[in-house]
Amino acid sequence: MDSGGFFFQAFVYLTAAVVSVPVAKKLGLGSVLGYLIAGITIGPFVLGLVGSEGQSVMQFAEFGIIMMLFLIGLELQPSMIWKLKGSILGMGGAQVTATALLLMAIALFFGLQWQTALALGLVLALSSTAIVLQTLHEKGLMQTDGGQNSFSVLLFQDIAIIPILAILPLLATAQASSSSIHGDDGHAGGSTWIEELPLWGQTTAVLGVVAGIILAGKYLINPSFRLIAKTRLRELFTAAALLLVISITILMGKVGLSPALGTFIAGVVLAQSEYRHELETNIEPFKGLLLGLFFISVGASIDFDVIAANPALILQMVAALLLLKFFVLAGIGRIFGMSFDNILLFALALAEGGEFAFVLFSFGLNNGVFEASLVNPLIAVVALSMAMTPLLVLLNEKLVQPRFGTMEKEKKSPDTIDLDRKSSVIIAGFGMVGSTVGRFMQANDEEATYLDTDPDNVDLLRKMGFQVFYGDASRTDLLQAAGAAEAELLVIAVGNAAKALEIAGTARKYFPHLEIIARTSDWEESYEMIGMGVKNVYLDTLDVALRMGGDALGRLGHRRYHVSRAMKTFRRYEERHLHELAEIRHDKKELMRATKLRIEDLEQLMLKEKEGLHKDKDLGWDASGHIADDGHMRS
């Protein structure tokens, strides 16, 4: 292109992302599918705004995957890795081995040599780390059993890339090719520092590099970041963080290893560093932007000419790959005791091909393992399967789970409640908030009846002597059975805003005499609760924030009595204005005006309170001083 080609390409990619992702999110498709659609749209087969240069962009964009693995490593403690060792080795090893052998058998059936068939099975056994983790994070599914096991399998696959890269040259059946799908990537087709060494020397060098990264992370990187932090130049810390990731990427590439694995190891080593959060903050924006660029590049790289030449065959191959991996993963999930819901998520999320297939196909092509006539359609198959993954997860969430995904939950039907003792209080939700409320009430000789939807939680708490029952508190019959007709108070402590509103609506409609105390997570939920007639609304963050602010003032020398009065005044004012703002919540302009006035009024009120306290400065708990938590007197 012309001299402005770089800026034009940047304009095209950024415009595609900014336009497509919000539209996809609005339609409920998720950002990953939005990026993929954007890539297809700007690619050479639709608008043609991106051509062959898209392959070099893909190389650059793959750096986003490396950054993602580094950040995942930062979030994991070595103890957590050890805890997951069973699922990493067991499930990951079983998935890669079983999938590779089945794909190899199919390839042999179609007449391929055993070397090519084995290589093909190993490459296609891998899944897309970038797409799966981004999709699961976006939908809040990473903490589920299916999400955790998906991560374990992906981690094993990333580790497996090392032996696969070592095995592929041994499976060569043809003359090595000088062509490359993605060019010289430095860790696949490019030269390495150790390629002239004997096998034992290469193994020693690889182990030495990994050990060097671990030792540097423990004894060198932290002191270096400490020196950089003393400069108080944030941009220098950002540059150092990027330098760390890029250095490991180059080093791992030069010894023929996966850069993603190297940066992951470095992240795990630094997970206990005092600079962990600063590293996350500085790298996160780059990771997000580069991953978005990677997804767009995958969409743009789908070769529709190859697909158009034989669409039926390509689509059959995509369907065969997805189905075969789905059934292998579902079988593994069943063997390892996963629930039906989580098996569906686990199998659908990992059924696609992976981004490292592009690198491994290129490496295999360069080393005479594959022929171009085989690789070209397979690249299209992998890309299409990756593009379909967010859609499959979406279909599972919207269509499959609502109809079939409650099979395990239905095995435990709501409890038939036979109350041992009548309680004046019903607590819906026995998580952190509900359990704290319950224990506080029990400590003050007030018994309560608890409702929760986690069967394991219910069984455990029942053994501990609590009157806890399994069931959805938004159901009228369950509230009735729990004694709502005779109870005086309903405490809604569930963390899900939609479910909390549903419970409140049921209680207000069928048990209007019940006084409701509701936990809310934000202003909007509070407004909705108040609009339904719930007067006692407690924001999750208000009391915690006031306690922190009060302790901060106490440690700065403010008298405890004055701080306590100021906290009570502030709380009363906040709660009163919450109800006032709820009445005008639908008028955004009036709401904004009232919020500004509220801030000004609060400042005046606190100043007036302060003046009053100064007039009565000898009247408090601590006129001459107070004893702080550390035992020292403060005046």
Side-chain angles (χ1 to χ4, degrees), residues 392-444:
L392 291 173
V393 174
L394 180 67
L395 290 173
N396 177 52
E397 179 186 13
K398 300 295 184 184
L399 297 178
V400 180
Q401 292 286 1
R403 296 187 180 186
F404 309 106
T406 57
M407 289 174 64
E408 267 68 17
K409 292 178 185 174
E410 289 173 359
K411 287 179 183 177
K412 181 171 177 63
S413 58
D415 285 340
T416 300
I417 299 179
D418 183 14
L419 295 176
D420 300 326
R421 52 194 179 272
K422 293 289 183 181
S423 301
S424 299
V425 183
I426 299 171
I427 299 179
F430 207 96
M432 182 66 74
V433 174
S435 63
T436 303
V437 173
R439 286 185 288 111
F440 179 73
M441 292 184 66
Q442 192 172 44
N444 288 276

Side-chain angles (χ1 to χ4, degrees), residues 374-624:
L374 176 65
V375 166
N376 290 334
L378 287 176
I379 287 291
V381 168
V382 170
L384 279 176
S385 71
M386 289 169 66
M388 290 182 68
T389 299
L391 186 60
L392 291 173
V393 174
L394 180 67
L395 290 173
N396 177 52
E397 179 186 13
K398 300 295 184 184
L399 297 178
V400 180
Q401 292 286 1
R403 296 187 180 186
F404 309 106
T406 57
M407 289 174 64
E408 267 68 17
K409 292 178 185 174
E410 289 173 359
K411 287 179 183 177
K412 181 171 177 63
S413 58
D415 285 340
T416 300
I417 299 179
D418 183 14
L419 295 176
D420 300 326
R421 52 194 179 272
K422 293 289 183 181
S423 301
S424 299
V425 183
I426 299 171
I427 299 179
F430 207 96
M432 182 66 74
V433 174
S435 63
T436 303
V437 173
R439 286 185 288 111
F440 179 73
M441 292 184 66
Q442 192 172 44
N444 288 276
D445 297 323
E446 287 290 346
E447 297 290 344
T449 299
Y450 305 93
L451 301 175
D452 198 79
T453 54
D454 185 339
D456 295 330
N457 201 23
V458 169
D459 291 339
L460 175 64
L461 293 167
R462 190 174 290 166
K463 290 175 184 176
M464 294 170 64
F466 289 99
Q467 189 162 264
V468 187
F469 299 97
Y470 174 83
D472 184 350
S474 64
R475 285 180 45 181
T476 312
D477 58 339
L478 198 69
L479 282 175
Q480 179 72 45
E486 296 82 23
E488 299 174 18
L489 190 64
L490 171 64
V491 178
I492 301 176
V494 298
N496 184 298
K499 182 54 67 178
L501 290 168
E502 191 178 350
I503 294 169
T506 302
R508 291 291 297 163
K509 183 176 180 181
Y510 295 101
F511 307 99
H513 72 283
L514 270 180
E515 187 172 359
I516 299 174
I517 293 178
R519 161 203 185 182
T520 57
S521 56
D522 55 38
W523 290 94
E524 288 298 325
E525 186 185 351
S526 302
Y527 295 154
E528 291 294 325
M529 281 287 185
I530 293 169
M532 295 169 66
V534 179
K535 295 178 182 179
N536 306 293
V537 173
Y538 295 84
L539 267 168
D540 271 347
T541 52
L542 179 60
D543 283 302
V544 174
L546 282 176
R547 280 190 59 200
M548 290 175 69
D551 285 349
L553 289 175
R555 293 181 183 281
L556 291 172
H558 291 250
R559 287 179 170 84
R560 297 288 175 122
Y561 174 67
H562 298 168
V563 171
S564 179
R565 281 192 54 173
M567 288 170 65
K568 288 178 180 177
T569 301
F570 194 98
R571 180 187 286 106
R572 282 198 305 269
Y573 189 84
E574 284 287 290
E575 290 173 349
R576 176 163 61 85
H577 272 270
L578 181 63
H579 285 76
E580 291 174 358
L581 294 174
E583 294 177 5
I584 57 172
R585 65 187 183 278
H586 299 301
D587 187 341
K588 298 300 181 185
K589 189 178 292 185
E590 179 64 20
L591 184 64
M592 186 66 69
R593 188 189 68 80
T595 302
K596 290 180 180 178
L597 287 175
R598 166 175 159 267
I599 295 170
E600 295 169 5
D601 290 346
L602 184 58
E603 289 177 357
Q604 294 299 319
L605 179 66
M606 297 308 290
L607 284 172
K608 193 176 294 183
E609 179 84 8
K610 189 175 180 182
E611 290 172 4
L613 286 171
H614 281 306
K615 290 177 184 176
D616 301 323
K617 62 182 180 180
D618 292 329
L619 297 176
W621 301 329
D622 50 2
S624 61

Side-chain angles (χ1 to χ4, degrees), residues 205-323:
V206 167
L207 293 175
V209 166
V210 173
I213 290 174
I214 294 172
L215 292 173
K218 293 189 77 132
Y219 303 111
L220 180 62
I221 296 175
N222 270 331
S224 301
F225 278 127
R226 195 171 295 118
L227 289 173
I228 293 166
K230 287 181 180 179
T231 66
R232 299 187 183 278
L233 295 172
R234 183 165 183 173
E235 63 272 17
L236 191 61
F237 203 99
T238 303
L242 291 172
L243 176 63
L244 171 65
V245 177
I246 292 171
S247 300
I248 294 173
T249 300
I250 294 173
L251 178 63
M252 296 297 276
K254 287 301 181 183
V255 294
L257 295 182
S258 163
L261 177 63
T263 49
F264 174 79
I265 293 171
V268 172
V269 172
L270 293 170
Q272 296 175 314
S273 166
E274 63 266 36
Y275 300 106
R276 165 191 162 192
H277 296 296
E278 188 69 17
L279 285 166
E280 287 178 329
T281 303
N282 284 285
I283 290 180
E284 182 69 36
F286 295 95
K287 185 265 298 185
L289 186 62
L290 288 170
L291 271 182
L293 186 60
F294 170 76
F295 298 138
I296 293 175
S297 300
V298 170
S301 69
I302 297 176
D303 194 335
F304 285 92
D305 282 344
V306 172
I307 297 171
N310 202 335
L313 177 62
I314 296 294
L315 292 177
Q316 286 171 10
M317 291 171 69
V318 171
L321 178 65
L322 293 173
L323 285 171

Side-chain angles (χ1 to χ4, degrees), residues 145-165:
D145 195 25
Q148 289 290 297
N149 287 328
S150 296
F151 171 73
S152 297
V153 171
L154 289 168
L155 183 55
F156 181 88
Q157 290 179 0
D158 288 331
I159 296 171
I161 291 169
I162 301 168
I164 291 174
L165 282 169

